[in-house]
Amino acid sequence: MRNDFKNYRNEAFANKKKFIEYFDYFAHIHYGKEIQETGLIEKYVVLAQMVRTYMLEDWRTTKQTVRKNKRKQIYYFSLEFLLGRMLRNNMMSLGIYDVAKQGLAEMGVDINDIEDVETDAGLGNGGLGRLAACFLDSLATLDYPGSGNTIRYKSGLFKQLIEDNEQIEVPDQWLRIENPWEVRKAARTVDVRFYGTVDITRNERGELEFHRKDTEHVLAVPYDMPIIGSNHKTANTLRMWNAEPSDELPDGRDYREYLSDVEDICLNLYPDDSTEKGRYLRIKQEYFFVAAGLQSIIDDHMKIYGTLDNFAEKVVIQLNDTHPALAIPELMRIFVDNYDIPWAKAWDIVTHTFAYTNHTVMQEALEKWPVDYIRKLIPRIYLIIEEIDNQFKQSLVDMGKKHNFIDSVSIIHEGNVRMAYLSIVGSYSVNGVAKIHSNIIKNDTFRDFYEIFPEKFNNKTNGISPRRWLLYANPELCSLLDKYIGTDYRHDLKKIEKLNEHVDDPKLQQQFLEVKHLKKEQLAHWLKKNYDIDVDPDSIFDSIAKRLHAYKRQLMDIMYVIHLYFRIKDDPNFWMPKTTFLFGAKAASAYKFAKKVIKLINCVAEKVNNDPDVNKFINVVFIPNYRVTVAEKLMPASDVSEQISTAGKEASGTGIMKFMMNGAITLGTLDGANVEIRELVGDDNCVIFGLTEEEVNALKHGHYNAYHFYETNPMIKRIVDSFTDGTWSENRHDFKDIADEFLLRNDEYMVLADFEAYCDAHDVVYELYQNQSEWAKKCLINIANSAYFSSDRTIKEYADDIWHIEEIH
């Protein structure tokens, strides 16, 4: 066999015979072994190397075409990219999965066993990172020139274990085998500097010059991953930065301490910011990846154009939340200090380069960092932020704004730098991620900024990749859809709307229910195999899967289970369709309340699942270490999808879109994307309950009294009392913090106000589920109207309305 790879692209996956030949060859060059001598891990690495090599031509030609045609490029700066496993996704996007499956089978290897070797990349945590990953997928698929910029975390967020019903965090060693998709680009290493002092002098023209002295140097080494589109021609790049020690050693520091500090930068996603050390590290991470990314972008730009005058015409940088906000003053530093661009001109370029996506409406969740920390860690950047703030405030004075108004929008406020405010002032676009969210940030969260910059604000409702979350996660459903509406929807999800013409077909309804049951059986098998958890695939699968936070109200879900427990124990004639309540969630390591909720869920599960009077009606399952790979199994199997956040608190909720696309019925409040789901499918095809955003605000301003619900509603009182009476734990103090949330802290997220309506909503679900034909119809209507939530639609809107970029080819 030829070994020069000249014809590799044409031959390697042409048929199973050629595949086996090349597999044998890659095993030899990578491990020096015959195929039969390799283990599963080695087979996984060999196959991944084959696939990556197959992608290289697309990767190379994409870059060359962008440079040759001088296309404007989008750089997506995000502290998270929750990619999931890449092997299956890449092979299916390239159209080579079936050949690889057949070739491996010929060798006596099950491709599913190889896929299970791969671990989820530890580069993200929740919806923010999963959104970023879907956007990269859509950028490549739609043939847009776009790259991601992030940190190469060595241990991710954490791997979640459940021991004695409590969350335990251990390192997520996702790089233990290796990451076969990445390419280390040592030649593109850049220098990032921390600490030190700033000398201010005047040059011969009388202009101020700023010189950083006695800084601590850290090398940023890029690791690039190709992100392939399903169009078989475009491969963009996710650039991950790794921190490594510099040869320029810091004076007066212990070298081992310096090495440890460098190692910490890329050790974990979201280090604990409850300590001063953790807060410094968070700021260091945020500056590290934007400083490295900007240097790389400018280097590429100067090689092509030789000038920065057209930078904003050729480069757009999207800030995914406020974590990359330090890119704004850093780009100013580079322009002003390194390239001698006058401040006004530099600011004009900067404010036409950045666009900002907001992901929260809660003021308390908006990121801010102490001035002292930034001044010490990156002193030149602080001086630039200070100047940006001063000039912004002066512009408001010139507009005739009053002192109180100016103070309300100042970037530096009460000893803190407000990162969202910096992002708004330094960007030309500010977008929310769902209709209700965008309206709230205009009318409430950033009301004063909207008064100043109304032209900046817009909505871009989030979306999800239909390839990973429908085509690849649910091939059985797609095969069914193919029979009724053809295959055009696989390339243009809007074509899935044709399914609306068939939703009344009894044969289709029955076949859909059979597919759903099969996906439930698959999930049940996986849970048994991996966690020794038994679930009944004949039960309703009622799922809530998302980062655990008080406003997302997983607590309300488990309180409903407790309510059912008491009803079953009290009433010998009780009946309901058997339901399995599935939870998937991680709590931040320092978020004590959220960790208590996880413990409560597991304690309730322990009692419910072991009580023969109760477990014939309900079961509770907490899936440990929730991640993309779990979601790909959970979402196609779920009947009911819960999105039950307090109205006006959830920005979007992309998880709900994945459930919907796979035929689950939404049970939720009028919050986030639920509002748009209701508009798309109608009231009859989702179950909406609870207070509206306006009603929540009215209650807050009208002195909401949680204790009143506790005093006057025996059902609520019994549930709350059970947290401290020994029902769920022998230690009566275990869940006192949860009880105190209602009795002492007045139920900030209004769980008690919505609880009865939430119980009634479940009754509606159970009644609907009894008519399986009608239930299937509702599920099919959800699938047929899910195209709006494709990230392809979202990215097209970004490209047309914000980025103004064109297709590569």
Side-chain angles (χ1 to χ4, degrees):
M1 185 188 71
R2 298 178 61 180
N3 59 14
D4 60 7
F5 293 101
K6 184 177 181 180
N7 295 317
Y8 179 80
R9 176 78 180 207
N10 294 326
E11 293 181 353
F13 293 88
N15 53 60
K16 65 181 180 181
K17 180 181 178 181
K18 283 292 184 182
F19 171 82
I20 293 169
E21 290 178 8
Y22 275 99
F23 194 96
D24 180 65
Y25 178 75
F26 271 74
H28 273 92
I29 63 172
H30 203 77
Y31 290 111
K33 291 183 176 182
E34 302 292 334
I35 294 175
Q36 60 270 23
E37 297 174 323
T38 57
L40 265 181
I41 291 176
E42 292 164 325
K43 287 183 174 69
Y44 157 68
V45 173
V46 166
L47 181 56
Q49 291 287 355
M50 287 181 66
V51 176
R52 195 189 77 183
T53 303
Y54 190 85
M55 298 162 68
L56 290 180
E57 182 63 18
D58 287 339
W59 204 14
R60 181 184 66 83
T61 56
T62 297
K63 294 174 186 175
Q64 287 182 341
T65 304
V66 170
R67 292 192 191 104
K68 179 182 177 182
N69 297 332
K70 297 184 177 181
R71 297 291 196 204
K72 184 178 185 180
Q73 298 185 63
I74 165 67
Y75 296 90
Y76 200 81
F77 277 35
S78 178
L79 206 56
E80 294 186 42
F81 284 88
L82 194 58
L83 299 171
R85 301 195 296 197
M86 300 300 292
L87 181 61
R88 181 186 180 91
N89 191 82
N90 285 339
M91 287 194 293
M92 296 195 78
S93 290
L94 291 164
I96 59 177
Y97 183 83
D98 289 340
V99 170
K101 181 178 180 180
Q102 294 163 11
L104 289 166
E106 187 81 9
M107 293 185 280
V109 180
D110 186 336
I111 195 170
N112 295 313
D113 292 336
I114 290 185
E115 290 172 15
D116 287 341
V117 172
E118 185 175 19
T119 57
D120 287 40
L123 300 173
N125 172 36
L128 186 79
R130 189 53 233 165
L131 178 75
C134 286
F135 279 6
L136 288 188
D137 175 273
S138 287
L139 279 165
T141 296
L142 297 176
D143 194 32
Y144 288 125
S147 300
N149 188 78
T150 193
I151 291 174
R152 183 179 181 266
Y153 303 102
K154 294 180 178 66
S155 299
L157 183 71
F158 56 78
K159 181 178 180 180
Q160 181 194 57
L161 305 178
I162 301 298
E163 296 181 2
D164 297 326
N165 292 325
E166 297 188 50
Q167 171 180 293
I168 305 296
E169 304 98 25
V170 299
D172 176 11
Q173 303 286 2
W174 73 283
L175 289 169
R176 179 176 285 135
I177 298 173
E178 66 176 273
N179 179 11
W181 308 108
E182 67 186 14
V183 179
R184 177 182 166 92
K185 297 288 186 71
R188 300 301 307 273
T189 297
V190 299
D191 184 42
V192 179
R193 298 163 67 180
F194 298 97
Y195 301 108
T197 58
V198 180
D199 279 358
I200 306 175
T201 60
R202 288 191 182 274
N203 61 23
E204 57 190 20
R205 299 186 300 276
E207 299 165 336
L208 292 178
E209 291 187 343
F210 299 83
H211 306 277
R212 294 184 292 172
K213 293 180 59 179
D214 304 321
T215 54
E216 182 174 293
H217 296 258
V218 176
L219 296 183
V221 182
Y223 285 71
D224 288 357
M225 284 177 62
I227 304 296
I228 193 74
S230 67
N231 58 23
H232 302 274
K233 59 184 177 182
T234 306
N236 288 323
T237 300
L238 172 61
R239 175 155 286 182
M240 307 170 291
W241 294 98
N242 189 52
E244 299 183 12
S246 170
D247 291 335
E248 297 187 55
L249 305 181
D251 292 331
R253 282 204 65 192
D254 179 79
Y255 186 60
R256 287 171 296 184
E257 183 183 335
Y258 165 70
L259 291 179
S260 176
D261 285 351
V262 172
E263 178 76 12
D264 282 347
I265 293 173
C266 298
L267 186 60
N268 290 106
L269 171 67
Y270 300 135
D272 180 4
D273 61 358
S274 65
T275 66
E276 182 177 80
K277 181 180 178 181
R279 289 191 288 273
Y280 269 109
L281 183 54
R282 288 279 288 270
I283 299 169
K284 186 179 278 190
Q285 284 185 334
E286 292 182 5
Y287 180 67
F288 171 78
F289 94 98
V290 301
L294 288 172
Q295 288 185 62
S296 175
I297 292 167
I298 289 173
D299 287 347
D300 287 342
H301 183 85
M302 291 299 289
K303 287 175 185 176
I304 298 172
Y305 302 104
T307 178
L308 292 171
D309 289 349
N310 66 344
F311 189 78
E313 298 169 23
K314 296 298 181 181
V315 171
V316 57
I317 298 172
Q318 188 73 37
L319 307 176
N320 192 29
D321 214 348
T322 56
H323 309 122
L326 290 172
I328 293 168
E330 172 63 8
L331 189 57
M332 284 296 293
R333 184 197 67 79
I334 294 171
F335 285 170
V336 173
D337 294 359
N338 295 2
Y339 288 91
D340 295 323
I341 299 175
W343 179 278
K345 181 178 178 180
W347 185 241
D348 183 65
I349 298 172
V350 166
T351 54
H352 286 86
T353 296
F354 290 102
Y356 161 53
T357 299
N358 170 267
H359 286 278
T360 183
V361 300
M362 296 185 291
Q363 284 287 346
E364 65 272 20
L366 293 173
E367 194 178 29
K368 58 187 178 183
W369 296 115
V371 162
D372 292 343
Y373 289 22
I374 296 178
R375 184 190 286 126
K376 179 180 179 180
L377 191 60
I378 38 178
R380 176 61 179 131
I381 295 302
Y382 176 71
L383 291 177
I384 292 172
I385 295 172
E386 195 172 50
E387 182 63 20
I388 292 170
D389 190 37
N390 287 337
Q391 294 205 15
F392 172 56
K393 290 188 289 188
Q394 183 58 51
S395 73
L396 297 178
V397 171
D398 296 342
M399 292 169 61
K401 298 297 184 182
K402 302 297 185 183
H403 173 76
N404 287 345
F405 181 92
I406 295 172
D407 187 61
S408 73
V409 295
S410 61
I411 296 169
I412 300 172
H413 182 73
E414 297 182 347
N416 290 296
V417 176
R418 300 193 279 195
M419 307 304 278
Y421 292 15
L422 175 62
S423 300
I424 294 170
V425 172
S427 298
Y428 67 87
S429 170
V430 178
N431 73 277
V433 293
K435 285 182 181 178
I436 185 174
H437 170 238
S438 295
N439 287 333
I440 291 170
I441 65 174
K442 287 191 297 185
N443 300 325
D444 183 8
T445 312
F446 302 132
R447 180 181 63 252
D448 292 339
F449 281 104
Y450 183 59
E451 180 180 327
I452 304 165
F453 306 118
E455 73 284 354
K456 290 189 179 186
F457 285 79
N458 62 94
N459 176 62
K460 296 290 174 282
T461 297
N462 281 342
I464 60 172
S465 167
R467 287 157 292 282
R468 182 176 285 271
W469 295 108
L470 177 60
L471 303 184
Y472 308 159
N474 204 340
E476 297 88 351
L477 176 58
C478 292
S479 294
L480 177 61
L481 297 179
D482 292 347
K483 295 177 184 177
Y484 284 86
I485 62 172
T487 60
D488 287 350
Y489 75 94
R490 291 175 174 263
H491 309 289
D492 179 2
L493 196 66
K494 287 184 289 187
K495 302 292 178 60
I496 205 170
E497 292 174 2
K498 292 181 181 177
L499 187 62
N500 280 307
E501 301 169 10
H502 303 276
V503 296
D504 290 306
D505 186 331
K507 184 178 179 182
L508 171 60
Q509 293 168 358
Q510 181 58 37
Q511 289 174 328
F512 167 77
L513 292 172
E514 290 169 1
V515 167
K516 181 65 74 172
H517 194 270
L518 174 61
K519 302 309 287 186
K520 289 168 145 183
E521 289 176 336
Q522 291 173 358
L523 176 62
H525 175 76
W526 185 85
L527 288 170
K528 182 65 176 176
K529 177 182 176 182
N530 288 274
Y531 297 109
D532 197 28
I533 294 173
D534 291 305
V535 296
D536 181 359
D538 291 326
S539 64
I540 298 173
F541 279 16
D542 182 321
S543 301
I544 185 166
K546 54 186 75 254
R547 173 175 61 92
L548 207 145
H549 193 285
Y551 85 83
K552 295 177 183 287
R553 302 202 296 190
Q554 290 97 333
L555 175 58
M556 186 161 68
D557 197 348
I558 198 62
M559 286 174 65
Y560 174 68
V561 174
I562 292 171
H563 164 62
L564 289 177
Y565 172 84
F566 288 139
R567 284 185 64 193
I568 295 167
K569 297 299 285 185
D570 291 347
D571 182 1
N573 297 316
F574 177 88
W575 184 89
M576 63 174 285
K578 185 170 184 181
T579 302
T580 300
F581 294 89
L582 294 136
F583 294 81
K586 289 182 178 180
S589 57
Y591 192 177
K592 294 180 180 178
F593 180 82
K595 294 173 80 168
K596 284 293 185 183
V597 173
I598 287 177
K599 182 171 184 178
L600 175 64
I601 293 168
N602 282 285
C603 286
V604 172
E606 187 174 58
K607 176 158 284 195
V608 164
N609 297 346
N610 289 292
D611 187 323
D613 294 331
V614 178
N615 63 24
K616 60 187 175 183
F617 295 114
I618 58 174
N619 289 111
V620 180
V621 173
F622 186 92
I623 306 175
N625 202 36
Y626 184 69
R627 55 200 186 278
V628 174
T629 296
V630 177
E632 289 170 340
K633 302 178 189 304
L634 176 66
M635 286 157 175
S638 296
D639 297 300
V640 179
S641 161
E642 299 213 21
Q643 174 75 39
I644 56 177
S645 52
T646 311
K649 298 300 182 184
E650 183 69 80
S652 174
T654 53
I656 202 78
M657 304 171 189
K658 297 159 194 169
F659 284 111
M660 176 196 187
M661 200 173 281
N662 283 277
I665 302 299
T666 298
L667 189 162
T669 53
L670 278 176
D671 197 28
N674 291 358
V675 174
E676 285 145 298
I677 288 178
R678 183 195 194 191
E679 291 174 358
L680 289 165
V681 304
D683 286 327
D684 291 341
N685 300 300
C686 58
V687 180
I688 301 297
F689 73 94
L691 300 170
T692 64
E693 183 224 340
E694 293 79 11
E695 290 168 337
V696 167
N697 290 333
L699 266 181
K700 280 189 174 180
H701 298 141
H703 307 295
Y704 173 64
N705 185 356
Y707 198 82
H708 173 75
F709 288 94
Y710 172 79
E711 269 191 321
T712 60
N713 188 317
M715 170 181 66
I716 287 175
K717 185 177 189 304
R718 186 177 186 185
I719 294 167
V720 174
D721 287 348
S722 76
F723 297 148
T724 55
D725 67 6
T727 301
W728 310 113
S729 173
E730 292 180 359
N731 181 350
R732 298 187 176 210
H733 294 284
D734 258 350
F735 305 119
K736 185 176 185 300
D737 283 347
I738 296 177
D740 288 348
E741 174 64 25
F742 302 120
L743 303 180
L744 301 180
R745 292 190 287 273
N746 203 36
D747 185 19
E748 180 179 2
Y749 297 109
M750 300 190 179
V751 170
L752 301 189
D754 271 345
F755 190 70
E756 279 201 86
Y758 179 60
C759 295
D760 292 342
H762 278 91
D763 290 341
V764 172
V765 168
Y766 301 144
E767 183 178 351
L768 292 174
Y769 194 77
Q770 298 313 300
N771 186 332
Q772 284 284 280
S773 175
E774 279 299 307
W775 180 267
K777 177 182 175 180
K778 294 178 187 299
C779 295
L780 290 166
I781 289 172
N782 273 268
I783 296 168
N785 291 281
S786 64
Y788 179 75
F789 296 115
S790 166
S791 52
D792 294 350
R793 186 269 313 156
T794 312
I795 286 297
K796 186 72 167 61
E797 290 182 4
Y798 273 99
D800 292 345
D801 302 341
I802 298 177
W803 301 335
H804 308 297
I805 57 175
E806 298 177 347
E807 296 174 6
I808 299 170
H809 298 91

